[in-house]
Amino acid sequence: MSHQAEIERRKKRAAQGGGAARQAARQAPGRLSARERIEFLLDDSSFEEWDQLIEHRATAFGLAHQRIPGDGVLGGVGRVEGRTVFVFAQDFTVFGGSLSEANAAKICKLMDAALRVGAPMIGLNDSGGARIQEGVAALAGYADIFLRNTLASGVIPQLSAILGPCAGGAVYSPAITDFIFMVERESHMFVTGPDVIAAVTHEQVDKEALGGADTHNRLSGVAHFQAADDRDCLRQMRALLGYLPSNNQEDPPRRAAADPAGREAPALETLVPAAGHQPYDVRAALRGVADDGELLEIQEHFAPNLVIGFARLAGRPVGMVANQPAHLAGVLDIDASDKGARFVRFCDAFNLPLITWVDVPGFLPGVQQELGGIIRHGAKLLFAYAEATVPKITVTLRKAYGGAYCVMASKHLRTDLNYAWPTAEIAVMGAEGAVRVLYRKELQALDEAARAAQEKARIEEYRAHFANPFVALERGYLDAVIAPRQTRQHLIRGLEWLQNKRAALPPKKHGNIPL
Ligand code: HXC
């Protein structure tokens, strides 16, 4: 047989993956094969496959007689919206998509290339974990990948889709990457599965409740995006990539914007209710200023008291962070702090300007929060904002109280532009709480009727002094009060003059963020 014929024979075998029976067994509505996933993700005909004929080197447990070219993972280079990306997809029909020494080397080769040329790395995971027959060689393969995930962090964007099982230590590769996408009912991630948990702790739980898409998107915060099926997931990955630079040396991709930079948003004038405790959906403000009203929300279902996401302003991608008064009054708690901190650091690493929207009553009081370490978690958000050197613009919509005022990209954390709407209130705490602390003795000395009247008077006095933006304006902690309808113009102008911003940190190996 000629070499060419032999290559064709092997390629044909590689294309069959685990064979017709296993492929048939894997078919389910909305589920694509590994190759279909890659082809759907990438621009048409842009996939160039690498190492298609790689084979495992193991011989124990009958492996010597079961060599499948490609060895359960497809990978290569392609394009998304014309930009280079590297991708691998595990093929569950070949040894359960398990990671062998050989296919780990294949993934590492792609990761090394992605890092070398500064292009995003995308992993489509669908695997039973370390190939059991290969023992430590498979474990070493995982560790090789974890190392590369870590070295590439902050240099190239890394995206992971979980499109089947992802169990044991295997979860830690996606966990180190920047964004995790999961598919409803299809994806499962856990360090130890239901059976082991039942044996060790006697807890009964099914794999959906333990590690399904809803669990990780709503409760644990491990995942960032939830999709209805494979195609929806891959479409979401493409949309996200549209906001990201290929690497940390590039600016995010700018697009021509049809939405005029000077467009006013009259609806924003009445968005913030006059009463301080009345909720509203802050996303209306973000969408109101964004090009074409588009906001790509991230971790939409986790800690909804803080909204994070990407948008464009005059075609420039930006990261948006906003307290959400529609949920828990927009309070900062442990989960919201973690969510915000990681996002701020991502934006800072990848040159995405940060627009912060403030309406926050403070940090959430409570025994559970204190014992859970709100001090440590809240400090992450503070640290992330203080450390960030990208252009930073803050808009205070209503409340900016207490420590949360400092944390939410206040002027004191090197924020470049601090705007306020006329409804802004900046104070150590809300009027009711402050009056109770300051005038407790005075109020206790009065009878009930006189106490209520005096308390009301004190609250009004406090509000007149603090519940406004003037004290901060007089000190330059706010740069200007702006009309809500003109916020888009102000943000776009600010980003323009900030585009060549230079700021640095003192020389150091790295900071010690309170993890
Ligand atoms: C080798 C594996 C495999 C593995 C599955 N297969 N997992 N082969 N190594 N890890 C094979 C099966 O033998 C089977 O082969 C085929 O893949 C499909 O598996 P099924 O069990 O039939 O499929 P299903 O019922 O859908 O169950 C999927 C599964 C289950 C839940 C993933 O296979 C499973 O529990 N696998 C083991 C998971 C695990 O514990 N992995 C180790 C995690 S620890 P045939 O020939 O019958 O088709 C880990 C350490 C990482 O990964 C280390 C990092 C530090």
Side-chain angles (χ1 to χ4, degrees):
M1 198 185 278
S2 70
H3 287 170
Q4 190 55 40
E6 175 58 13
I7 288 169
E8 291 309 320
R9 188 192 69 75
R10 291 191 193 196
K11 277 190 178 175
K12 202 169 157 207
R13 178 66 196 87
Q16 290 163 357
R22 288 193 183 89
Q23 279 170 355
R26 274 293 276 172
Q27 272 176 10
R31 189 192 282 161
L32 303 177
S33 71
R35 187 170 298 278
E36 287 168 338
R37 285 168 177 167
I38 289 185
E39 281 170 357
F40 194 87
L41 172 74
L42 300 179
D43 294 349
D44 288 347
S45 316
S46 73
F47 181 45
E48 188 174 317
E49 192 171 353
W50 288 10
D51 290 336
Q52 190 186 11
L53 303 185
I54 219 159
E55 292 184 5
H56 68 66
R57 302 148 196 170
T59 52
F61 298 99
L63 284 185
H65 311 292
Q66 300 180 62
R67 292 191 195 280
I68 299 176
D71 201 30
V73 65
L74 277 74
V77 59
R79 287 191 299 278
V80 170
E81 291 188 9
R83 297 191 300 149
T84 299
V85 298
F86 287 79
V87 60
F88 72 82
Q90 292 167 326
D91 180 355
F92 192 82
T93 69
V94 179
F95 302 113
S98 58
L99 192 92
S100 69
E101 181 185 0
N103 77 26
K106 180 166 170 176
I107 292 172
C108 288
K109 188 167 160 184
L110 292 166
M111 296 175 85
D112 289 341
L115 191 58
R116 208 159 55 237
V117 304
M121 183 71 226
I122 301 165
L124 307 180
N125 297 271
D126 187 357
S127 163
R131 189 165 303 166
I132 296 165
Q133 299 92 320
E134 294 203 15
V136 69
L139 297 180
Y142 267 123
D144 289 339
I145 293 172
F146 301 159
L147 172 71
R148 283 163 178 78
N149 285 135
T150 307
L151 297 180
S153 181
V155 183
I156 52 171
Q158 300 182 78
L159 276 54
S160 300
I162 313 298
L163 301 168
C166 183
V171 296
Y172 288 116
S173 172
I176 301 172
T177 64
D178 299 301
F179 297 102
I180 296 181
F181 295 72
M182 293 184 76
V183 174
E184 287 157 21
R185 296 174 299 280
E186 292 287 324
S187 315
H188 296 103
M189 287 181 89
F190 31 71
V191 174
T192 43
D195 296 344
V196 176
I197 288 181
V200 176
T201 67
H202 308 292
E203 290 164 292
Q204 299 300 325
V205 63
D206 63 32
K207 63 180 181 179
E208 191 61 28
L210 187 65
D214 176 64
T215 295
H216 285 312
N217 274 278
R218 195 167 48 84
L219 300 176
S220 73
V222 165
H224 302 82
F225 295 96
Q226 188 162 337
D229 59 21
D230 284 12
R231 287 186 182 84
D232 183 29
C233 175
L234 298 163
R235 265 188 223 110
Q236 290 188 26
M237 295 181 104
R238 285 179 64 92
L240 175 67
L241 285 165
Y243 290 93
L244 310 183
S246 294
N247 59 66
N248 65 338
Q249 305 285 320
E250 270 184 14
D251 281 334
R254 198 170 173 183
R255 282 192 186 161
D259 199 352
R263 171 179 62 77
E264 293 203 347
L268 299 190
E269 294 292 338
T270 50
L271 178 66
V272 177
H277 56 273
Q278 242 178 288
Y280 63 95
D281 188 345
V282 76
R283 289 175 296 193
L286 280 57
R287 293 199 176 106
V289 302
D291 288 359
D292 305 315
E294 277 176 24
L295 170 73
L296 182 75
E297 200 172 338
I298 300 165
Q299 290 189 303
E300 185 183 345
H301 309 289
F302 178 68
N305 36 327
L306 192 81
V307 173
I308 58 172
F310 294 118
R312 289 189 187 81
L313 287 168
R316 263 197 200 98
V318 294
M320 301 255 195
V321 181
N323 307 117
Q324 172 58 293
H327 192 88
L328 290 175
V331 76
L332 281 176
D333 59 3
I334 290 172
D335 287 347
S337 301
D338 284 1
K339 173 178 171 178
R342 189 136 199 266
F343 182 68
V344 166
R345 297 190 102 216
F346 177 84
C347 291
D348 190 41
F350 289 102
N351 312 317
L352 284 142
L354 281 161
I355 314 289
T356 302
W357 304 81
V358 184
D359 189 346
V360 60
F363 280 96
L364 181 62
V367 175
Q368 223 188 353
Q369 288 286 310
E370 294 293 343
L371 299 190
I374 183 74
I375 297 173
R376 178 164 54 88
H377 294 280
K380 292 179 199 174
L381 186 56
L382 173 55
F383 192 113
Y385 266 124
E387 178 187 51
T389 56
V390 285
K392 294 187 278 193
I393 306 181
T394 300
V395 185
T396 300
L397 306 181
R398 191 169 55 177
K399 287 173 254 177
Y401 288 170
Y405 157 74
C406 304
V407 169
M408 291 299 298
S410 63
K411 183 56 99 191
H412 325 285
L413 303 181
R414 304 194 292 176
T415 299
D416 301 289
L417 265 171
N418 291 73
Y419 290 126
W421 286 3
T423 39
E425 306 172 12
I426 304 179
V428 171
M429 61 175 79
E432 288 80 2
V435 164
R436 246 170 265 137
V437 174
L438 294 177
Y439 302 108
R440 187 165 43 106
K441 287 189 190 125
E442 177 191 294
L443 294 171
Q444 271 171 356
L446 300 171
D447 65 47
E448 212 169 302
R451 189 184 309 144
Q454 182 65 354
E455 189 172 1
K456 196 161 167 255
R458 289 296 190 197
I459 286 172
E460 271 161 24
E461 182 186 41
Y462 181 93
R463 283 222 177 96
H465 190 74
F466 284 119
N468 59 61
F470 300 117
V471 182
L473 278 165
E474 284 160 13
R475 284 171 170 72
Y477 300 161
L478 290 174
D479 298 298
V481 174
I482 58 173
R485 65 193 303 137
Q486 291 170 351
T487 308
R488 173 174 162 84
Q489 291 153 256
H490 286 284
L491 294 176
I492 290 173
R493 238 180 283 147
L495 290 173
E496 258 161 34
W497 69 258
L498 281 164
Q499 67 182 324
N500 296 322
K501 178 183 175 185
R502 284 184 203 156
L505 297 168
K508 56 174 132 178
K509 190 170 172 192
H510 57 70
N512 188 15
I513 188 165
L515 296 173

